[in-house]
PDB file of all heavy atoms in Angstrom:
ATOM      1  N   GLU A 211     -47.976 -61.585 -68.200  1.00  0.00           N
ATOM      2  CA  GLU A 211     -47.389 -60.178 -68.112  1.00  0.00           C
ATOM      3  C   GLU A 211     -48.256 -59.115 -68.621  1.00  0.00           C
ATOM      4  O   GLU A 211     -48.816 -59.275 -69.704  1.00  0.00           O
ATOM      5  CB  GLU A 211     -45.979 -60.192 -68.767  1.00  0.00           C
ATOM      6  CG  GLU A 211     -45.262 -58.922 -68.560  1.00  0.00           C
ATOM      7  CD  GLU A 211     -43.865 -58.934 -69.365  1.00  0.00           C
ATOM      8  OE1 GLU A 211     -43.327 -60.189 -69.489  1.00  0.00           O
ATOM      9  OE2 GLU A 211     -43.453 -57.871 -69.855  1.00  0.00           O
ATOM     10  N   ARG A 212     -48.270 -57.941 -67.994  1.00  0.00           N
ATOM     11  CA  ARG A 212     -49.025 -56.753 -68.541  1.00  0.00           C
ATOM     12  C   ARG A 212     -48.147 -55.536 -68.401  1.00  0.00           C
ATOM     13  O   ARG A 212     -47.576 -55.272 -67.436  1.00  0.00           O
ATOM     14  CB  ARG A 212     -50.320 -56.671 -67.734  1.00  0.00           C
ATOM     15  CG  ARG A 212     -51.213 -55.467 -68.151  1.00  0.00           C
ATOM     16  CD  ARG A 212     -52.538 -55.486 -67.517  1.00  0.00           C
ATOM     17  NE  ARG A 212     -52.394 -55.628 -66.075  1.00  0.00           N
ATOM     18  CZ  ARG A 212     -53.190 -56.411 -65.302  1.00  0.00           C
ATOM     19  NH1 ARG A 212     -54.120 -57.245 -65.890  1.00  0.00           N
ATOM     20  NH2 ARG A 212     -53.010 -56.534 -64.040  1.00  0.00           N
ATOM     21  N   ARG A 213     -48.118 -54.681 -69.528  1.00  0.00           N
ATOM     22  CA  ARG A 213     -47.345 -53.551 -69.549  1.00  0.00           C
ATOM     23  C   ARG A 213     -48.311 -52.269 -69.628  1.00  0.00           C
ATOM     24  O   ARG A 213     -49.142 -52.301 -70.548  1.00  0.00           O
ATOM     25  CB  ARG A 213     -46.363 -53.586 -70.714  1.00  0.00           C
ATOM     26  CG  ARG A 213     -45.392 -54.717 -70.555  1.00  0.00           C
ATOM     27  CD  ARG A 213     -44.335 -54.516 -71.677  1.00  0.00           C
ATOM     28  NE  ARG A 213     -43.484 -55.758 -71.529  1.00  0.00           N
ATOM     29  CZ  ARG A 213     -42.258 -55.800 -72.196  1.00  0.00           C
ATOM     30  NH1 ARG A 213     -41.810 -54.797 -72.892  1.00  0.00           N
ATOM     31  NH2 ARG A 213     -41.541 -56.829 -72.072  1.00  0.00           N
ATOM     32  N   GLY A 216     -45.776 -47.308 -67.842  1.00  0.00           N
ATOM     33  CA  GLY A 216     -44.350 -47.342 -67.668  1.00  0.00           C
ATOM     34  C   GLY A 216     -43.993 -48.434 -66.708  1.00  0.00           C
ATOM     35  O   GLY A 216     -42.744 -48.512 -66.346  1.00  0.00           O
ATOM     36  N   LYS A 217     -44.767 -49.455 -66.531  1.00  0.00           N
ATOM     37  CA  LYS A 217     -44.410 -50.599 -65.656  1.00  0.00           C
ATOM     38  C   LYS A 217     -44.787 -51.987 -66.464  1.00  0.00           C
ATOM     39  O   LYS A 217     -45.742 -52.049 -67.098  1.00  0.00           O
ATOM     40  CB  LYS A 217     -45.092 -50.581 -64.291  1.00  0.00           C
ATOM     41  CG  LYS A 217     -44.649 -49.459 -63.402  1.00  0.00           C
ATOM     42  CD  LYS A 217     -45.381 -49.610 -62.081  1.00  0.00           C
ATOM     43  CE  LYS A 217     -44.743 -48.684 -61.034  1.00  0.00           C
ATOM     44  NZ  LYS A 217     -43.415 -49.007 -60.686  1.00  0.00           N
ATOM     45  N   ALA A 218     -44.086 -52.913 -66.051  1.00  0.00           N
ATOM     46  CA  ALA A 218     -44.316 -54.266 -66.484  1.00  0.00           C
ATOM     47  C   ALA A 218     -44.755 -55.081 -65.183  1.00  0.00           C
ATOM     48  O   ALA A 218     -44.042 -55.040 -64.223  1.00  0.00           O
ATOM     49  CB  ALA A 218     -43.195 -54.949 -67.160  1.00  0.00           C
ATOM     50  N   SER A 219     -45.990 -55.714 -65.189  1.00  0.00           N
ATOM     51  CA  SER A 219     -46.471 -56.368 -64.099  1.00  0.00           C
ATOM     52  C   SER A 219     -46.710 -57.884 -64.414  1.00  0.00           C
ATOM     53  O   SER A 219     -47.085 -58.241 -65.476  1.00  0.00           O
ATOM     54  CB  SER A 219     -47.719 -55.735 -63.498  1.00  0.00           C
ATOM     55  OG  SER A 219     -47.625 -54.352 -63.274  1.00  0.00           O
ATOM     56  N   ALA A 363     -31.917 -58.922 -61.825  1.00  0.00           N
ATOM     57  CA  ALA A 363     -31.834 -59.837 -62.994  1.00  0.00           C
ATOM     58  C   ALA A 363     -30.594 -60.760 -62.750  1.00  0.00           C
ATOM     59  O   ALA A 363     -30.616 -61.944 -63.279  1.00  0.00           O
ATOM     60  CB  ALA A 363     -31.594 -59.042 -64.219  1.00  0.00           C
ATOM     61  N   THR A 386     -42.251 -54.100 -62.143  1.00  0.00           N
ATOM     62  CA  THR A 386     -40.970 -53.438 -62.265  1.00  0.00           C
ATOM     63  C   THR A 386     -41.131 -52.393 -63.395  1.00  0.00           C
ATOM     64  O   THR A 386     -41.904 -52.445 -64.246  1.00  0.00           O
ATOM     65  CB  THR A 386     -39.847 -54.360 -62.694  1.00  0.00           C
ATOM     66  OG1 THR A 386     -38.565 -53.720 -62.577  1.00  0.00           O
ATOM     67  CG2 THR A 386     -40.031 -54.984 -63.953  1.00  0.00           C
ATOM     68  N   SER A 387     -40.380 -51.284 -63.227  1.00  0.00           N
ATOM     69  CA  SER A 387     -40.321 -50.183 -64.238  1.00  0.00           C
ATOM     70  C   SER A 387     -39.872 -50.749 -65.613  1.00  0.00           C
ATOM     71  O   SER A 387     -38.823 -51.582 -65.693  1.00  0.00           O
ATOM     72  CB  SER A 387     -39.433 -49.131 -63.740  1.00  0.00           C
ATOM     73  OG  SER A 387     -40.021 -48.566 -62.548  1.00  0.00           O
ATOM     74  N   LEU A 388     -40.422 -50.236 -66.690  1.00  0.00           N
ATOM     75  CA  LEU A 388     -39.952 -50.519 -68.019  1.00  0.00           C
ATOM     76  C   LEU A 388     -38.443 -49.865 -68.043  1.00  0.00           C
ATOM     77  O   LEU A 388     -38.305 -48.727 -67.684  1.00  0.00           O
ATOM     78  CB  LEU A 388     -40.868 -49.875 -69.082  1.00  0.00           C
ATOM     79  CG  LEU A 388     -42.227 -50.512 -69.245  1.00  0.00           C
ATOM     80  CD1 LEU A 388     -42.990 -49.692 -70.246  1.00  0.00           C
ATOM     81  CD2 LEU A 388     -42.002 -51.896 -69.896  1.00  0.00           C
ATOM     82  N   GLY A 389     -37.604 -50.585 -68.569  1.00  0.00           N
ATOM     83  CA  GLY A 389     -36.092 -50.073 -68.512  1.00  0.00           C
ATOM     84  C   GLY A 389     -35.354 -50.692 -67.564  1.00  0.00           C
ATOM     85  O   GLY A 389     -34.129 -50.613 -67.446  1.00  0.00           O
ATOM     86  N   ALA A 390     -35.990 -51.478 -66.559  1.00  0.00           N
ATOM     87  CA  ALA A 390     -35.333 -52.288 -65.670  1.00  0.00           C
ATOM     88  C   ALA A 390     -35.587 -53.668 -65.906  1.00  0.00           C
ATOM     89  O   ALA A 390     -36.390 -54.060 -66.787  1.00  0.00           O
ATOM     90  CB  ALA A 390     -35.808 -51.893 -64.223  1.00  0.00           C
ATOM     91  N   SER A 391     -34.937 -54.569 -65.245  1.00  0.00           N
ATOM     92  CA  SER A 391     -35.273 -55.973 -65.390  1.00  0.00           C
ATOM     93  C   SER A 391     -35.169 -56.682 -64.010  1.00  0.00           C
ATOM     94  O   SER A 391     -34.510 -56.239 -63.148  1.00  0.00           O
ATOM     95  CB  SER A 391     -34.300 -56.620 -66.387  1.00  0.00           C
ATOM     96  OG  SER A 391     -33.029 -56.533 -65.869  1.00  0.00           O
ATOM     97  N   GLY A 392     -35.903 -57.737 -63.913  1.00  0.00           N
ATOM     98  CA  GLY A 392     -35.820 -58.405 -62.584  1.00  0.00           C
ATOM     99  C   GLY A 392     -36.397 -59.865 -62.780  1.00  0.00           C
ATOM    100  O   GLY A 392     -36.880 -60.252 -63.839  1.00  0.00           O
ATOM    101  N   THR A 492     -40.945 -65.563 -64.453  1.00  0.00           N
ATOM    102  CA  THR A 492     -39.823 -64.552 -64.741  1.00  0.00           C
ATOM    103  C   THR A 492     -40.312 -63.454 -65.408  1.00  0.00           C
ATOM    104  O   THR A 492     -41.127 -63.564 -66.405  1.00  0.00           O
ATOM    105  CB  THR A 492     -38.683 -65.299 -65.521  1.00  0.00           C
ATOM    106  OG1 THR A 492     -38.182 -66.388 -64.684  1.00  0.00           O
ATOM    107  CG2 THR A 492     -37.562 -64.266 -65.705  1.00  0.00           C
ATOM    108  N   ILE A 493     -39.929 -62.214 -65.019  1.00  0.00           N
ATOM    109  CA  ILE A 493     -40.164 -60.940 -65.756  1.00  0.00           C
ATOM    110  C   ILE A 493     -38.897 -60.636 -66.387  1.00  0.00           C
ATOM    111  O   ILE A 493     -37.876 -60.334 -65.582  1.00  0.00           O
ATOM    112  CB  ILE A 493     -40.725 -59.945 -64.877  1.00  0.00           C
ATOM    113  CG1 ILE A 493     -42.180 -60.134 -64.408  1.00  0.00           C
ATOM    114  CG2 ILE A 493     -40.675 -58.582 -65.587  1.00  0.00           C
ATOM    115  CD1 ILE A 493     -42.708 -59.056 -63.580  1.00  0.00           C
ATOM    116  N   ARG A 494     -38.779 -60.461 -67.623  1.00  0.00           N
ATOM    117  CA  ARG A 494     -37.495 -59.839 -68.267  1.00  0.00           C
ATOM    118  C   ARG A 494     -37.998 -58.720 -69.128  1.00  0.00           C
ATOM    119  O   ARG A 494     -38.645 -58.951 -70.153  1.00  0.00           O
ATOM    120  CB  ARG A 494     -36.747 -60.925 -68.996  1.00  0.00           C
ATOM    121  CG  ARG A 494     -36.290 -61.997 -68.154  1.00  0.00           C
ATOM    122  CD  ARG A 494     -35.328 -62.882 -68.802  1.00  0.00           C
ATOM    123  NE  ARG A 494     -34.871 -63.930 -67.964  1.00  0.00           N
ATOM    124  CZ  ARG A 494     -33.842 -63.905 -67.016  1.00  0.00           C
ATOM    125  NH1 ARG A 494     -33.310 -62.694 -66.802  1.00  0.00           N
ATOM    126  NH2 ARG A 494     -33.480 -64.902 -66.373  1.00  0.00           N
ATOM    127  N   VAL A 495     -37.708 -57.561 -68.714  1.00  0.00           N
ATOM    128  CA  VAL A 495     -38.228 -56.392 -69.439  1.00  0.00           C
ATOM    129  C   VAL A 495     -37.125 -55.653 -70.178  1.00  0.00           C
ATOM    130  O   VAL A 495     -36.109 -55.229 -69.555  1.00  0.00           O
ATOM    131  CB  VAL A 495     -38.848 -55.375 -68.427  1.00  0.00           C
ATOM    132  CG1 VAL A 495     -39.465 -54.077 -69.144  1.00  0.00           C
ATOM    133  CG2 VAL A 495     -39.831 -55.962 -67.461  1.00  0.00           C
ATOM    134  N   PRO A 496     -37.213 -55.574 -71.587  1.00  0.00           N
ATOM    135  CA  PRO A 496     -36.274 -54.910 -72.389  1.00  0.00           C
ATOM    136  C   PRO A 496     -36.240 -53.452 -72.079  1.00  0.00           C
ATOM    137  O   PRO A 496     -37.122 -52.813 -71.651  1.00  0.00           O
ATOM    138  CB  PRO A 496     -36.689 -55.169 -73.806  1.00  0.00           C
ATOM    139  CG  PRO A 496     -38.120 -55.328 -73.703  1.00  0.00           C
ATOM    140  CD  PRO A 496     -38.437 -55.965 -72.327  1.00  0.00           C
ATOM    141  N   ARG A 497     -35.054 -52.778 -72.156  1.00  0.00           N
ATOM    142  CA  ARG A 497     -34.887 -51.393 -71.954  1.00  0.00           C
ATOM    143  C   ARG A 497     -35.813 -50.635 -72.995  1.00  0.00           C
ATOM    144  O   ARG A 497     -35.986 -51.126 -74.200  1.00  0.00           O
ATOM    145  CB  ARG A 497     -33.495 -50.859 -72.141  1.00  0.00           C
ATOM    146  CG  ARG A 497     -32.601 -51.449 -70.966  1.00  0.00           C
ATOM    147  CD  ARG A 497     -31.188 -50.826 -71.018  1.00  0.00           C
ATOM    148  NE  ARG A 497     -30.384 -51.444 -69.965  1.00  0.00           N
ATOM    149  CZ  ARG A 497     -30.421 -50.990 -68.725  1.00  0.00           C
ATOM    150  NH1 ARG A 497     -31.225 -50.011 -68.395  1.00  0.00           N
ATOM    151  NH2 ARG A 497     -29.700 -51.490 -67.859  1.00  0.00           N
ATOM    152  N   GLN A 498     -36.266 -49.432 -72.678  1.00  0.00           N
ATOM    153  CA  GLN A 498     -37.160 -48.738 -73.577  1.00  0.00           C
ATOM    154  C   GLN A 498     -36.711 -48.509 -74.888  1.00  0.00           C
ATOM    155  O   GLN A 498     -37.417 -48.417 -75.833  1.00  0.00           O
ATOM    156  CB  GLN A 498     -37.731 -47.463 -72.868  1.00  0.00           C
ATOM    157  CG  GLN A 498     -38.553 -47.737 -71.579  1.00  0.00           C
ATOM    158  CD  GLN A 498     -38.817 -46.383 -70.877  1.00  0.00           C
ATOM    159  OE1 GLN A 498     -38.074 -45.583 -70.609  1.00  0.00           O
ATOM    160  NE2 GLN A 498     -40.140 -46.200 -70.617  1.00  0.00           N
ATOM    161  N   GLU A 499     -35.385 -48.237 -74.952  1.00  0.00           N
ATOM    162  CA  GLU A 499     -34.772 -47.887 -76.221  1.00  0.00           C
ATOM    163  C   GLU A 499     -34.564 -49.137 -77.120  1.00  0.00           C
ATOM    164  O   GLU A 499     -34.161 -49.002 -78.323  1.00  0.00           O
ATOM    165  CB  GLU A 499     -33.401 -47.190 -76.008  1.00  0.00           C
ATOM    166  CG  GLU A 499     -32.382 -47.992 -75.311  1.00  0.00           C
ATOM    167  CD  GLU A 499     -32.365 -47.755 -73.791  1.00  0.00           C
ATOM    168  OE1 GLU A 499     -33.435 -47.294 -73.315  1.00  0.00           O
ATOM    169  OE2 GLU A 499     -31.387 -48.097 -73.119  1.00  0.00           O
ATOM    170  N   ASP A 500     -34.712 -50.384 -76.524  1.00  0.00           N
ATOM    171  CA  ASP A 500     -34.584 -51.516 -77.298  1.00  0.00           C
ATOM    172  C   ASP A 500     -35.567 -51.646 -78.420  1.00  0.00           C
ATOM    173  O   ASP A 500     -36.740 -51.287 -78.155  1.00  0.00           O
ATOM    174  CB  ASP A 500     -34.595 -52.914 -76.558  1.00  0.00           C
ATOM    175  CG  ASP A 500     -33.190 -52.875 -75.551  1.00  0.00           C
ATOM    176  OD1 ASP A 500     -32.367 -51.990 -75.873  1.00  0.00           O
ATOM    177  OD2 ASP A 500     -33.209 -53.641 -74.672  1.00  0.00           O
TER     178      ASP A 500
END
Side-chain angles (χ1 to χ4, degrees):
E211 184 183 330
R212 178 169 53 222
R213 300 187 182 193
K217 287 183 175 295
S219 300
T386 186
S387 300
L388 290 170
S391 62
T492 301
I493 292 181
R494 296 193 183 279
V495 185
R497 295 187 179 279
Q498 290 176 314
E499 61 268 20
D500 291 349

